[in-house]
């Protein structure tokens, strides 16, 4: 009886670890510049960013250096309005 409960406990813990791992993978960050689309109007016009823009910008912090290093995206990342968005959203501009 004791052996059965030990096997069940090990099986239960292993299953729990697998499920937690899958949840973490499901919540993994997607580095896609299209995620920043809520900020497009602010970048192009200079209007203050929306709360959605600021939230997305904060979520994308780990991706920003990659965007800056991309020759196709660098002009947008260096654009003066982009700098304003960082300041407005209180997101430090990445030093890559």
């Amino acid at each position: 009886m004791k052996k059965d409960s030990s096997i069940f406990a090990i099986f239960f813990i292993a299953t729990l670890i697998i499920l937690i791992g899958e949840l973490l993978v499901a919540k993994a960050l997607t580095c896609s510049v299209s995620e920043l689309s809520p900020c497009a109007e602010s970048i192009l016009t200079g209007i203050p960013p929306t709360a959605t823009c600021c939230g997305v910008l904060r979520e994308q912090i780990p991706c920003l250096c990659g965007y800056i290093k991309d020759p196709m995206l660098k002009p947008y990342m260096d654009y003066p309005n982009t700098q304003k968005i960082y300041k407005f959203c209180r997101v430090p501009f990445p030093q890559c």
Side-chain angles (χ1 to χ4, degrees):
M1 184 73 171
K2 189 173 184 181
K3 185 177 180 181
D4 289 340
S5 62
S6 295
I7 291 172
F8 176 78
I10 292 170
F11 176 77
F12 178 76
I13 291 171
T15 303
L16 189 60
I17 290 170
I18 291 169
L19 290 174
I20 290 172
E22 287 182 18
L23 277 174
L24 292 174
V25 170
K27 294 194 105 188
L29 179 65
T30 301
C31 287
S32 171
V33 75
S34 66
E35 297 290 320
L36 295 173
S37 63
C39 301
E41 187 175 9
S42 296
I43 293 170
L44 298 174
T45 65
I47 64 170
T50 63
T52 302
C53 169
C54 290
V56 168
L57 187 60
R58 284 187 199 97
E59 288 174 3
Q60 291 286 307
I61 287 174
C63 305
L64 297 177
C65 280
Y67 300 154
I68 290 170
K69 292 176 182 177
D70 184 325
M72 298 294 288
L73 301 175
K74 185 167 178 43
Y76 298 101
M77 299 303 288
D78 291 339
Y79 201 64
N81 290 339
T82 303
Q83 305 295 323
K84 291 178 190 175
I85 294 169
Y86 279 93
K87 287 179 185 170
F88 186 92
C89 295
R90 297 185 178 143
V91 173
F93 190 80
Q95 303 299 315
C96 306

